[in-house]
Amino acid sequence: MWNHTAVTQFLLMGIPHTTGLENMFFVLFLAFYLLTLLANLLILLAILTSSNLHTPMYFFLGNLSVLDIFFPSVSSPKMMLYLMGQSRTISYQGCASQLFFYHFLGCTECFLYTVMAYDRFAAICHPLRYTVIMNHNVCVIMTLGTWLGSCLHASVLTFLIFKLPYCGPSEVHNFFCDIPVVLPLACADTSLAQTVSFTNVGVVALLCFLLILTSYTRIALSILKIRSSEGRRRAFSTCSAHLTSILFFYGPVVVIYLRPASSPWLDSVVQVLNNIVTPSLNPLIYSLRNKEVKLALRKALSKGAHTCGG
């Protein structure tokens, strides 16, 4: 499909109305990016090294940490290079790759939140059957399903966007390549790509959100039936962490993809929050305030320090 275009590279225009603030944004974004990598790597270390955390909930949290390592890596390195004064250009293939991996990883995260909500539903509403419902094979199948389904979703979108001819202009009014900023640059009828992308993203997001809402409604009803105040507190604490992270994820999806009018500045700001800030908050929301994770992490770090010292 590369032979149908006269454009061989695109120019990333960055975040609108931020001229002169490049150094400040570079330091800020680099700090968030490094924090995201470190926090999620620490969570993975804790989950992999502690047998107490080899449960379905932490298995899914481990997958979320992997996503939160790769997701900001789709756009952050290139963005920080041009904030340092390097070239703003990105190749045609690089732009297509950014769009594919952004939607692949984003859709995987969307599916994973749905699976995690179902896991909490099974744990709280059917505690006696939990180990049967969420056995190892079920967890592996559900996880593979999220990754493979997302790959198909992203492949369809990328094919539809980049089978169109691009004759110029080639200015992408954002800091990375995504559907709302790349599609208007096509010099052909984009109605099919617009309809499919809007429907595809909308249906996936809405379906997942409804499934999550159903799970948490059932969970809330079950929690209210718990007689122990301590039991209710613990259940609400776990669920509130999940819901907070879900709101951080779904807010940007609604603003960017599911509203009729587009605002380059607003879209860029929301994308910064979604790509850079939220992945750094997930470890704090989900895991680093969790006593089991903190204990496992302390043990892993102390064991590593002892090994290095020995």
Side-chain angles (χ1 to χ4, degrees), residues 120 124 216 219-220 223 234-244:
R120 292 300 82 207
I124 293 172
Y216 279 108
I219 288 169
I223 289 174
R234 289 186 62 184
F236 268 123
S237 176
T238 303
C239 293
S240 65
H242 292 200
L243 285 170
T244 302

Side-chain angles (χ1 to χ4, degrees), residues 14-26:
I15 304 169
H17 313 304
T18 56
T19 305
L21 302 174
E22 287 84 0
N23 291 336
M24 183 189 74
F25 278 117
F26 171 76

Side-chain angles (χ1 to χ4, degrees), residues 18-260:
T18 56
T19 305
L21 302 174
E22 287 84 0
N23 291 336
M24 183 189 74
F25 278 117
F26 171 76
V27 172
L28 184 64
F29 294 157
L30 180 63
F32 270 111
Y33 185 55
L34 294 177
L35 176 64
T36 299
L37 296 183
L38 177 61
N40 285 291
L41 285 171
L42 287 174
I43 289 172
L44 278 177
L45 175 67
I47 292 171
L48 291 172
T49 57
S50 175
S51 58
N52 292 333
L53 301 184
H54 292 174
T55 63
M57 183 177 82
Y58 292 108
F59 175 71
F60 296 132
L61 279 176
N63 275 269
L64 183 63
S65 291
V66 171
L67 284 170
D68 283 338
I69 289 170
F70 286 113
F71 190 63
S73 300
V74 172
S75 58
S76 295
K78 180 66 179 174
M79 178 180 63
M80 286 186 283
L81 279 175
Y82 71 66
L83 286 173
M84 290 173 62
Q86 303 296 317
S87 174
R88 289 174 174 264
T89 60
I90 184 170
S91 69
Y92 186 87
Q93 292 87 345
C95 188
S97 298
Q98 273 196 340
L99 191 144
F100 170 80
F101 282 107
Y102 179 75
H103 284 274
F104 169 47
L105 296 170
C107 186
T108 304
E109 191 159 347
C110 184
F111 287 154
L112 189 61
Y113 282 131
T114 309
V115 170
M116 291 168 73
Y118 178 74
D119 172 68
R120 292 300 82 207
F121 160 75
I124 293 172
C125 299
H126 302 285
L128 300 179
R129 295 169 49 211
Y130 176 64
T131 54
V132 176
I133 296 171
M134 299 299 294
N135 62 61
H136 177 72
N137 289 337
V138 169
C139 291
V140 171
I141 290 169
M142 291 175 85
T143 304
L144 283 175
T146 65
W147 289 91
L148 294 175
S150 302
C151 184
L152 176 62
H153 166 83
S155 298
V156 170
L157 292 179
T158 306
F159 173 75
L160 285 172
I161 302 302
F162 286 94
K163 80 179 181 69
L164 294 167
Y166 290 86
C167 317
S170 59
E171 289 86 6
V172 174
H173 291 279
N174 207 332
F175 58 90
F176 77 110
C177 293
D178 194 15
I179 295 171
V181 288
V182 172
L183 196 55
L185 303 178
C187 49
D189 181 21
T190 62
S191 57
L192 176 62
Q194 283 179 326
T195 303
V196 173
S197 60
F198 182 85
T199 305
N200 207 345
V201 173
V203 167
V204 168
L206 181 61
L207 182 60
C208 289
F209 183 75
L210 289 175
L211 289 171
I212 291 168
L213 189 63
T214 301
S215 293
Y216 279 108
T217 301
R218 296 285 301 276
I219 288 169
L221 293 173
S222 294
I223 289 174
L224 293 174
K225 295 177 183 177
I226 298 174
R227 294 182 180 180
S228 164
S229 59
E230 177 63 19
R232 285 198 301 271
R233 189 194 64 79
R234 289 186 62 184
F236 268 123
S237 176
T238 303
C239 293
S240 65
H242 292 200
L243 285 170
T244 302
S245 193
I246 287 164
L247 290 174
F248 273 117
F249 177 80
Y250 273 98
V253 172
V254 172
V255 171
I256 295 165
Y257 300 105
L258 303 181
R259 62 192 175 91

Side-chain angles (χ1 to χ4, degrees), residues 236-289:
F236 268 123
S237 176
T238 303
C239 293
S240 65
H242 292 200
L243 285 170
T244 302
S245 193
I246 287 164
L247 290 174
F248 273 117
F249 177 80
Y250 273 98
V253 172
V254 172
V255 171
I256 295 165
Y257 300 105
L258 303 181
R259 62 192 175 91
S262 178
S263 166
W265 183 83
L266 179 61
D267 287 352
S268 295
V269 171
V270 172
Q271 290 283 27
V272 166
L273 293 174
N274 191 38
N275 290 21
I276 298 170
V277 178
T278 300
S280 68
L281 296 178
N282 273 345
L284 179 64
I285 293 169
Y286 268 101
S287 303
L288 294 181
R289 68 175 193 167

